[in-house]
Amino acid sequence: MEGKECRDCGQVKPAAEFWKRKASEDGLALYCKECFGLRNAASGRKRAAAQGRVMRPYRRWSAVPEGMKYCPRCQETKAVSEFGRNRAGRSGLGSYCKPCWTIVVAENKRRNHGSERNYLLKLRYGVTADEVDAQLRSQSGVCVICLRAAAKHVDHDHMTGLFRALLCFRCNGALGQYDDDPWRMRESADYLEGRSSHSRAMMLELGVVVIDGHARRLVRRLPRQGTARDDHLRERYGLGEAEVENLKRVQRGYCAICRDRAAEHVDHDHVTGAVRGVLCGGCNTGMGQLDDDPVSLRRAADYVQGRLIMRLPAADGGVRFSFTWPDVDPATVPVDGWEPYRAADGAHRRLLLEWEGRMEEQPGLRFAVSLSTRCRREVLMPGAQAVFPRLVAAAVSR
């Protein structure tokens, strides 16, 4: 059959313009596709009106020109380039144009999750905005590692995906540079204090722990004497290219801290200008983000091991956080009032590491370290709180 007359519009149209219908003698529907769509739309809108719903005006899908697509939200026909990709769709394109898609997604997030922030927190870290705000109040708004900056960034364990705490930008970035490795953080603290294995190697090989090239920086006033790299090293660190290579030789070509990656970056004290060693990118950047501070480095090491933040009984019968030694309720300390507690905590952690280093030589120290840990973690022996401050004071006076 070449054509057929539609009962509604009365036009004779090709057979391709009719749907198939087995009940008909010719196997085609009684109405053309366009009139069939109008009948279905009228029936559907009649049912919707009876239910109190309002549907959009009917629009025939095939009326859209080739290379164009209709957006149901802005009700405009646009070029297919204005639509994002969607492999699940029959056409391979999104249902809405790109501007409308952004609005629809934001509306869905607010409707289903309360806010876009809440949606992202649940997606990335598995916590809600209310839980993050509660954690921030428990920390009294301060970063639990450095105790100096406001906590604004959510930190999580990259292995387990579990939420840990809120940190400042620099501390959060430093953990990533160190790959959450507590050994590298503690080794960096010893490196800064001149007590690491690299410091001993420097003393044995060169007779000094650090190289003070400050006086030789005057070479910047003289004409260039070597390669561009040699002049740059002399201007910035007071060491020539050959001296840096000799420093790498002392380190066997590896980072002075982790001793696992290639030594690429000259590290120096930003106050005195003395060169300490040659580090890999991660150790050099991570140490810089923690302001070359041994206290923050040791606190960060304990943090990634789950030994920094403790839950203790609160005065109101609930639970509060504690992340310093001696213990102090974070709610009682302003954001800029942590410096005394930070200094005492740093001395305590350094003293514990010294004890642990001598435990093999003096087994009696094992009891002292265990006792300090019990007083810190479980608060079982209040009397000991009066003993350990004297030990901390002795460590600070060294």
Side-chain angles (χ1 to χ4, degrees), residues 99-158:
C100 291
W101 177 263
T102 303
I103 297 174
V104 169
V105 170
E107 290 174 349
N108 290 339
K109 290 177 181 178
R110 288 192 293 269
R111 182 175 63 253
N112 298 329
H113 303 281
S115 66
E116 187 166 0
R117 175 174 178 259
N118 198 45
Y119 165 77
L120 292 175
L121 287 173
K122 290 195 290 185
L123 175 67
R124 296 176 181 175
Y125 311 112
V127 295
T128 64
D130 292 338
E131 291 173 328
V132 171
D133 293 339
Q135 175 75 21
L136 184 62
R137 290 191 296 271
S138 299
Q139 297 178 202
S140 191
V142 71
C143 173
V144 296
I145 292 181
C146 66
L147 299 176
R148 286 174 171 169
K152 296 182 179 180
H153 296 267
V154 176
D155 173 59
H156 71 292
D157 189 320
H158 290 264

Side-chain angles (χ1 to χ4, degrees), residues 35-48:
C35 294
F36 197 88
L38 292 172
R39 280 177 166 266
N40 283 346
S43 176
R45 278 152 183 77
K46 183 178 179 180
R47 290 193 302 269

Side-chain angles (χ1 to χ4, degrees), residues 195 347 350-351 353-355 358 391-398:
R195 305 188 305 125
R350 175 179 173 178
L351 184 59
L353 288 176
E354 291 178 355
W355 284 346
R358 299 201 301 266
L391 299 176
V392 174
V396 175
S397 63
R398 291 185 181 183

Side-chain angles (χ1 to χ4, degrees), residues 97-381:
C97 63
K98 293 178 181 178
C100 291
W101 177 263
T102 303
I103 297 174
V104 169
V105 170
E107 290 174 349
N108 290 339
K109 290 177 181 178
R110 288 192 293 269
R111 182 175 63 253
N112 298 329
H113 303 281
S115 66
E116 187 166 0
R117 175 174 178 259
N118 198 45
Y119 165 77
L120 292 175
L121 287 173
K122 290 195 290 185
L123 175 67
R124 296 176 181 175
Y125 311 112
V127 295
T128 64
D130 292 338
E131 291 173 328
V132 171
D133 293 339
Q135 175 75 21
L136 184 62
R137 290 191 296 271
S138 299
Q139 297 178 202
S140 191
V142 71
C143 173
V144 296
I145 292 181
C146 66
L147 299 176
R148 286 174 171 169
K152 296 182 179 180
H153 296 267
V154 176
D155 173 59
H156 71 292
D157 189 320
H158 290 264
M159 294 293 293
T160 64
L162 296 178
F163 166 66
R164 291 190 290 208
L166 294 172
L167 306 178
C168 66
F169 173 79
R170 295 172 68 88
C171 291
N172 192 33
L175 296 185
Q177 293 293 336
Y178 279 115
D179 298 324
D180 283 358
D181 187 347
W183 181 86
R184 288 171 63 189
M185 298 175 196
R186 293 193 178 97
E187 190 70 12
S188 296
D190 291 342
Y191 168 84
L192 289 169
E193 294 173 342
R195 305 188 305 125
S196 66
S197 58
H198 168 73
S199 303
R200 294 190 290 272
M202 289 281 289
M203 182 59 69
L204 291 174
E205 295 282 347
L206 305 178
V208 293
V209 175
V210 295
I211 302 174
D212 186 6
H214 180 72
R216 287 183 286 177
R217 292 184 187 179
L218 296 176
V219 73
R220 70 179 64 179
R221 301 177 182 177
L222 302 176
R224 286 190 172 184
Q225 300 177 357
T227 64
R229 180 171 183 268
D230 184 80
D231 290 335
H232 168 74
L233 291 172
R234 290 184 182 277
E235 290 178 6
R236 186 158 189 179
Y237 308 110
L239 300 181
E241 189 173 4
E243 293 168 304
V244 172
E245 293 301 321
N246 184 52
L247 190 56
K248 288 184 180 181
R249 181 190 61 78
V250 173
Q251 302 175 194
R252 305 298 189 266
Y254 291 102
C255 171
I257 293 177
C258 65
R259 297 186 289 278
D260 184 50
R261 304 177 185 181
E264 299 175 342
H265 303 273
V266 177
D267 171 57
H268 71 292
D269 190 318
H270 291 265
V271 177
T272 64
V275 174
R276 294 178 292 218
V278 187
L279 309 180
C280 65
C283 291
N284 190 41
T285 305
M287 198 166 61
Q289 287 186 313
L290 290 177
D291 295 324
D292 289 0
D293 183 11
V295 175
S296 295
L297 284 161
R298 293 193 178 103
R299 286 181 60 83
D302 287 343
Y303 169 79
V304 297
Q305 290 184 310
R307 295 163 47 180
L308 181 67
I309 302 177
M310 305 297 170
R311 296 179 178 270
L312 302 178
D316 58 0
V319 178
R320 66 172 178 84
F321 284 165
S322 173
F323 37 79
T324 57
W325 195 99
D327 171 48
V328 60
D329 187 352
T332 63
V333 184
V335 176
D336 57 352
W338 284 97
E339 203 58 38
Y341 304 101
R342 186 179 183 280
D345 181 85
H348 172 72
R349 294 180 193 279
R350 175 179 173 178
L351 184 59
L352 282 182
L353 288 176
E354 291 178 355
W355 284 346
E356 290 173 359
R358 299 201 301 266
M359 279 172 59
E360 296 299 328
E361 300 177 1
Q362 302 181 35
L365 287 177
R366 187 183 302 275
F367 171 75
V369 175
S370 175
L371 179 59
S372 174
T373 304
R374 289 177 63 193
C375 292
R376 172 66 183 88
R377 288 176 178 267
E378 304 176 14
V379 199
L380 295 179
M381 301 178 62

Side-chain angles (χ1 to χ4, degrees), residues 77-111:
T77 301
K78 300 181 178 181
V80 294
S81 59
E82 294 293 323
F83 293 78
R85 296 185 179 276
N86 181 13
R87 290 183 295 178
R90 182 174 61 179
S91 64
L93 300 173
S95 301
Y96 306 97
C97 63
K98 293 178 181 178
C100 291
W101 177 263
T102 303
I103 297 174
V104 169
V105 170
E107 290 174 349
N108 290 339
K109 290 177 181 178
R110 288 192 293 269
R111 182 175 63 253

